[in-house]
Amino acid sequence: MPDVATVDLAHSYLQKILLSSVYDVAKVTPLSSMNKLSARLGCQVFLKREDMQPVHSFKLRGAYNRIAQLSADECRLGVVCASAGNHAQGVALSASSRGVDAVIVMPTTTPDIKIDAVRRLGGTVLLHGQSFDQANEHAQHLARSEGRVYIAPFDDEAVIAGQGTVAQEMLQQQRDLELVFVPVGGGGLVAGIAAYYKAVKPGVKIIGVEPEDAACLKAALAAGEPVTLPQVGLFADGVAVKRIGSEPFRLAKAYVDEVVTVSSDEICAAVKDIFEDTRAIAEPAGALSLAGLKKYFGLSGPGLAEGSHRGAGQKVAAILSGANVNFHSLRYVSERCELGEQKEAVLAVRVPEQPGSFLRFCELLERRVMTEFNYRFSSRDSAVVFAGIRLSQGQQELTDIIDRLESAGFAVQDLSADETAKLHVRYMVGGHPPEPLNERLFSFEFPEYPGALLKFLTTLQSKWNISLFHYRNHGAAFGRVLAGFEVPEVDHQAFGRFLTELGFVWQEETQSPAYRLFLGNRPG
């Protein structure tokens, strides 16, 4: 039973939320059903579409509610904030709509696309410092020296109340939700949503979701007070906050029922889920709460089996908090989303350096889809292959694959959780051979279907040693392979006939400058 002070705090914020001035610029966003994910989970999943706000983020709500409460004198002096993301755009549009001058201090490292977006919305951009902390310090200096009102991104009662209107809409749109998953950065959104629900419908569980490498709420709850993390990961930059706000923590401590943390790979998988159900492209922080929902119900994470359906039949919701995604980061999301759902494994496999070893390796995989296959000759005795394998049954299937390979004499190491391998090594497999080779390099195309790589390698069997091999499945209609062969000069004519008989589209790449610089025989 909550004490009187806790109940009074919730009702105090309920009043602030009900009186919030957000809808002059913000809009009521849909609470959309995620039909595909619901079918997988066995419960009904809803997604609150804050990506559909005019600035594609919930941040507009809190910024406008704070600026709407300024006095005439404060409006005349103007406002200032520091942000390189969604808060900047929310403040710029809110201030412009009320005729208030807004200075947005952004780090000098901010991409031009974000700077241009703030300027289009009417904000004056001031670039200062190389980090958010330096920009924020300068923004607060301007507030003191020029009399401007500093608009905090989360640690402000009016901002929290504005964000709480998200919960007000959700209750009106779906009255029987049982769990609500909310992304946590500085804590303004989770504080507003939790306070509203606990005042109106306290039986609804509020689950905060944080990245594993930026879990400032989890750390604060463990310590009993806000603490400053030494560093945070930047993949989900919208929630990359080292210290939760004091007021958000006061509310979260009282009203948030649980905190779930997720990996970058799990966030990538959630971005994919959102796209497949809605065709919306969420920013990583925007997909954070859905990643937490999936982990809570056992659809991701080590040791959680797909189909556990802890909440079978429940109605649950996640907040799609923003969609201001850097387009180029989608390349990373695409690479990592399958790993996030244990639908792909990355292995290092040591194979004997002899003809037929690659083929035997692929045969042991029993026509499973190979997503990647990297190899470079390094010694005459054995070679290490970097391999990606598509999974359909999660961890148990991976365990079976490793057991089968090791029983056949292949040494295997699972790199699926190795961040260095996934971020860097997979793109760096190669280098110059340790000894001069009579090597020729070719690119191949072949129709992509299950077992296609196995068939390719079977067809490729020959008396010429494969000295380099790279393959990556991108879901296209054609697979693409880069392969090197040791071909003595006396065999060139016979090798030409071999290529013709293969029946694949091919092109020689031996004279490629990139190959000669990074992969061919060492100069001299």
Side-chain angles (χ1 to χ4, degrees), residues 58 154 160 163-164 167 180-198 206-210 217 244 248-249 251-253 255-259 319:
F58 76 95
F154 45 79
I160 293 169
Q163 320 301 28
V180 176
F181 293 80
V182 188
V184 179
L189 180 63
V190 74
I193 287 177
Y196 182 87
Y197 266 109
K198 296 307 180 182
I206 306 300
I207 314 295
V209 186
E210 297 183 288
L217 174 55
I244 195 165
F249 176 69
L251 292 162
K253 185 178 180 181
Y255 305 127
V256 172
D257 296 284
E258 193 173 338
V259 176
I319 316 295

Side-chain angles (χ1 to χ4, degrees), residues 365-407:
L365 298 177
E366 297 180 338
R367 294 181 60 81
R368 285 181 175 85
V369 173
M370 295 285 294
T371 59
E372 187 164 5
F373 196 92
N374 299 324
Y375 156 74
R376 181 45 158 150
F377 170 85
S378 58
S379 80
R380 292 293 176 187
D381 298 322
S382 64
V384 178
V385 169
F386 189 102
I389 302 170
R390 181 73 45 79
L391 304 175
S392 59
Q393 299 172 33
Q395 185 63 40
Q396 185 55 54
E397 181 182 6
L398 176 58
T399 300
D400 293 343
I401 290 171
I402 293 174
D403 288 346
R404 185 179 301 113
L405 289 171
E406 290 181 338
S407 297

Side-chain angles (χ1 to χ4, degrees), residues 77 86 91 158 214 222 228 257 266 277 333 340 384 416 431 483 518:
L77 290 169
N86 295 334
V91 170
T228 303
D257 296 284
E266 289 163 347
D277 249 305
V333 172
V384 178
S416 303
F518 296 105

Side-chain angles (χ1 to χ4, degrees), residues 165-396:
T165 58
V166 172
Q168 181 182 2
E169 293 173 15
M170 292 175 71
L171 186 62
Q172 293 168 348
Q173 292 164 329
Q174 190 67 47
R175 294 185 178 274
D176 52 356
L177 289 175
E178 297 171 68
L179 295 95
V180 176
F181 293 80
V182 188
V184 179
L189 180 63
V190 74
I193 287 177
Y196 182 87
Y197 266 109
K198 296 307 180 182
V200 178
K201 198 172 181 183
V204 177
K205 288 187 69 174
I206 306 300
I207 314 295
V209 186
E210 297 183 288
E212 292 173 347
D213 55 8
C216 62
L217 174 55
K218 183 179 179 180
L221 290 171
E225 61 182 3
V227 295
T228 303
L229 301 176
Q231 60 185 28
V232 293
L234 298 178
F235 172 59
D237 57 351
V239 291
V241 177
K242 291 184 178 180
R243 183 184 181 93
I244 195 165
S246 298
E247 184 65 7
F249 176 69
R250 184 166 77 111
L251 292 162
K253 185 178 180 181
Y255 305 127
V256 172
D257 296 284
E258 193 173 338
V259 176
V260 175
T261 61
V262 295
S263 68
S264 294
D265 289 353
E266 289 163 347
I267 293 172
C268 291
V271 172
K272 179 186 175 186
D273 286 312
I274 291 171
F275 176 77
E276 290 185 342
D277 249 305
T278 69
R279 288 301 183 261
I281 300 177
E283 61 184 272
L288 177 63
S289 62
L290 187 68
L293 183 154
K294 290 175 60 188
K295 189 165 189 174
Y296 186 88
F297 287 115
L299 274 182
S300 67
L304 293 173
E306 182 166 343
S308 62
H309 302 326
R310 275 201 313 189
Q314 290 182 300
K315 292 185 178 179
V316 301
I319 316 295
L320 199 179
S321 57
N324 290 306
V325 64
N326 179 342
F327 181 81
H328 297 293
S329 69
L330 295 178
R331 190 174 353 180
Y332 176 92
V333 172
S334 177
E335 285 280 355
R336 302 292 288 266
C337 61
E338 298 293 280
L339 288 162
E341 286 195 328
Q342 296 185 354
K343 292 183 178 178
E344 183 187 27
V346 174
L347 304 177
V349 183
R350 185 172 292 277
V351 300
E353 186 60 86
Q354 59 191 40
S357 292
F358 289 167
L359 177 59
R360 188 157 60 94
F361 167 71
C362 286
E363 288 173 340
L364 288 168
L365 298 177
E366 297 180 338
R367 294 181 60 81
R368 285 181 175 85
V369 173
M370 295 285 294
T371 59
E372 187 164 5
F373 196 92
N374 299 324
Y375 156 74
R376 181 45 158 150
F377 170 85
S378 58
S379 80
R380 292 293 176 187
D381 298 322
S382 64
V384 178
V385 169
F386 189 102
I389 302 170
R390 181 73 45 79
L391 304 175
S392 59
Q393 299 172 33
Q395 185 63 40
Q396 185 55 54

